[in-house]
Amino acid sequence: MNELYHLFLRTERERNLYERARNLAERFQKRARWHDEHAEFPFENFDDLKEARFLSLTVPKSYGGEEISLYEFLLIQETIAQGDGATALSLGWHLGIIMNLAETKKWPLSVFERICREVVEKQILLNSAHSEEATGSPARSGKPETTAEHRSGRWVISGRKTFTSLAPALDYFIVSATIQETGEVGNFLIPKTAAGLKIEKTWDTLGMRATRSDDVILENVEVEEEALVEMLSLPKAKSHAQGWLLHIPACYLGIAIAARNEAIAFAKTYQPNSLSHPIAEVPEVRRKIAQMDIHLMAARHFMYSIADQWDRYPEKRAQMKEELAAVKYIATNTAVDVVDLAMRIVGGKSLFAENPLQRHYRDVRAGLHNPPADDITVSIVSGRALQ
């Protein structure tokens, strides 16, 4: 993996984070096929992540975390995804939410501090549960049908959420709900131990099977008044730039790098009896290898450049929404193209279940459905150009 990082590892701290992630990725790679085939959450991987204290990487230093930068976050995501894309994407939601909350300070300070302490001391996991069958992606501004009713100083929440990644492993769910009394929408922090909260195993998908993005059912779940941690403004289309969401393109570029590495290793060793040398010496194969690397260079340099801009110039972040969306657009589509090229190099052998390329082929396509979708990116980029 090192030859792809010689320009991206700029400091000793970045190199250290990369090496820590690479060591974990090598372990995860050995388990990835089993978790994919059985569509089971990789609890062993998260035990390793907890032992390595990766769940507190984005927690502010003032609360005991490492407070990594966005650039460092993407290095970790891209590297872990080379071992197991589903593990990387799952980890990214948890780390990214904490990074975003630390930046925006949207939650009451006492609640955020308590959660950060729990992440540092207990390595707990949290993620949002916003998607619903009727609303589709939260990015499209649908109003939650999940309801929150204020009763006797407590909130009573009922509804059903879809696409809840890490569902079986979460300690806290951040649930969006429409407040019945006012029609406003709020985020509620709900512990997994809350009575009336249950997980229904619905995640039977083509790719990213091990994220276990199952449905969360809330049946008259009672929580304290302080569980309302944030009021949401609609429509979401007018939301602020969110650098943390670059964990998504970083993950899919990591999967593409894994596919690229598989294809090159195959090309250097496979020699059919019709040739006197491995297929790596065939001009067409070399052209495809070059295409993969050129595509990856363009997408990765763009992604890391934007992350560096985000870290260096906080005052410019509000004007970076279009660039962030464009990174996701370019990276995920590039990742699909790179995996396709890798499979063309390997040929029919790439279709066998034992070959990781078929998993990369399925997993990488999930990126097209993570936010923001391509049509939303086209809309906001063209909108800025035509203002």
Side-chain angles (χ1 to χ4, degrees):
M1 288 188 236
N2 276 319
E3 78 278 4
L4 292 177
Y5 282 90
H6 69 290
L7 292 177
F8 295 112
L9 300 177
R10 308 166 301 178
T11 67
E12 191 59 35
R13 174 181 157 105
E14 289 169 2
R15 185 172 297 278
N16 178 260
L17 285 167
Y18 163 74
E19 290 295 342
R20 289 166 64 190
R22 186 175 63 84
N23 290 334
L24 288 165
E26 288 174 355
R27 289 186 229 170
F28 301 165
Q29 189 174 33
K30 297 172 184 176
R31 305 168 182 157
R33 178 182 174 183
W34 189 92
H35 289 122
D36 173 67
E37 288 182 351
H38 294 83
E40 290 290 342
F41 188 80
F43 287 102
E44 309 98 312
N45 294 354
F46 274 81
D47 287 342
D48 288 343
L49 288 164
K50 291 176 182 181
E51 186 177 347
R53 306 202 61 76
F54 264 49
L55 300 194
S56 50
L57 285 176
T58 54
V59 171
K61 289 180 181 178
S62 57
Y63 302 132
E66 292 193 42
E67 199 173 333
I68 60 173
S69 67
L70 179 60
Y71 189 102
E72 292 165 337
F73 182 20
L74 304 188
L75 275 174
I76 287 165
Q77 286 301 104
E78 191 186 62
T79 305
I80 289 178
Q82 292 174 55
D84 183 11
T87 294
L89 189 64
S90 299
L91 174 66
W93 292 118
H94 165 88
L95 291 179
I97 286 170
I98 296 171
M99 174 178 277
N100 186 48
L101 290 173
E103 179 202 343
T104 61
K105 299 176 172 57
K106 293 184 292 187
W107 284 13
L109 182 60
S110 60
V111 178
F112 181 60
E113 180 176 354
R114 174 175 64 82
I115 290 297
C116 284
R117 299 288 186 196
E118 288 191 43
V119 173
V120 171
E121 294 167 12
K122 303 177 184 178
Q123 294 289 295
I124 59 102
L125 275 167
L126 74 161
N127 194 14
S128 58
H130 294 328
S131 297
E132 296 182 4
E133 186 71 30
T135 63
S137 169
R140 297 192 183 274
S141 308
K143 195 170 186 179
E145 294 190 348
T146 298
T147 60
E149 184 180 354
H150 201 242
R151 294 184 200 163
S152 305
R154 293 173 67 80
W155 292 103
V156 180
I157 301 169
S158 296
R160 186 186 190 104
K161 297 294 185 176
T162 58
F163 290 95
T164 309
S165 296
L166 303 101
L170 290 176
D171 296 289
Y172 288 96
F173 299 79
I174 304 166
V175 175
S176 57
T178 299
I179 298 170
Q180 286 189 331
E181 291 83 354
T182 65
E184 297 175 287
V185 177
N187 272 343
F188 295 81
L189 183 64
I190 302 177
K192 69 176 180 182
T193 53
L197 185 152
K198 63 180 181 180
I199 310 298
E200 184 175 316
K201 295 185 73 171
T202 55
W203 192 245
D204 186 13
T205 53
L206 180 71
M208 284 293 177
R209 292 167 57 75
T211 63
R212 288 308 322 172
S213 303
D214 291 309
D215 286 10
V216 177
I217 300 171
L218 305 115
E219 296 178 345
N220 295 315
V221 173
E222 285 196 33
V223 289
E224 65 277 8
E225 200 156 12
E226 294 73 27
L228 176 57
V229 289
E230 179 187 358
M231 296 302 295
L232 301 177
S233 59
L234 297 174
K236 286 260 186 163
K238 296 181 181 177
S239 62
H240 299 296
Q242 301 184 76
W244 70 278
L245 284 174
L246 291 191
H247 82 88
I248 297 169
C251 172
Y252 291 103
L253 286 174
I255 295 170
I257 290 170
R260 172 257 190 202
N261 292 342
E262 286 285 340
I264 289 175
F266 179 84
K268 290 165 72 174
T269 56
Y270 179 60
Q271 181 178 329
N273 62 13
S274 58
L275 295 175
S276 59
H277 49 74
I279 64 169
E281 296 182 35
V282 175
E284 178 57 24
V285 172
R286 296 177 78 90
R287 186 182 70 83
K288 286 184 171 65
I289 290 171
Q291 279 185 298
M292 288 193 297
D293 275 17
I294 290 168
H295 290 334
L296 285 169
M297 284 179 202
R300 296 176 76 218
H301 278 280
F302 180 35
M303 179 180 74
Y304 282 112
S305 172
I306 294 300
D308 183 55
Q309 295 283 314
W310 179 272
D311 291 332
R312 284 177 185 267
Y313 307 110
E315 72 279 5
K316 295 183 179 181
R317 290 176 181 175
Q319 286 78 48
M320 291 178 66
K321 184 176 179 181
E322 291 79 8
E323 278 77 11
L324 295 169
V327 168
K328 193 270 178 178
Y329 178 100
I330 289 172
T332 51
N333 284 283
T334 291
V336 168
D337 291 342
V338 168
V339 176
D340 285 353
L341 283 165
M343 294 187 76
R344 288 172 185 267
I345 290 169
V346 175
K349 292 179 184 290
S350 67
L351 299 175
F352 281 80
E354 65 185 15
N355 194 309
L357 281 172
Q358 55 80 25
R359 183 178 71 253
H360 301 328
Y361 180 86
R362 291 181 287 105
D363 282 352
V364 81
R365 277 157 175 77
L368 302 175
H369 306 288
N370 285 133
D374 286 359
D375 65 304
I376 291 178
T377 297
V378 169
S379 176
I380 66 173
V381 171
S382 63
R384 183 173 73 175
L386 295 170
Q387 275 180 354

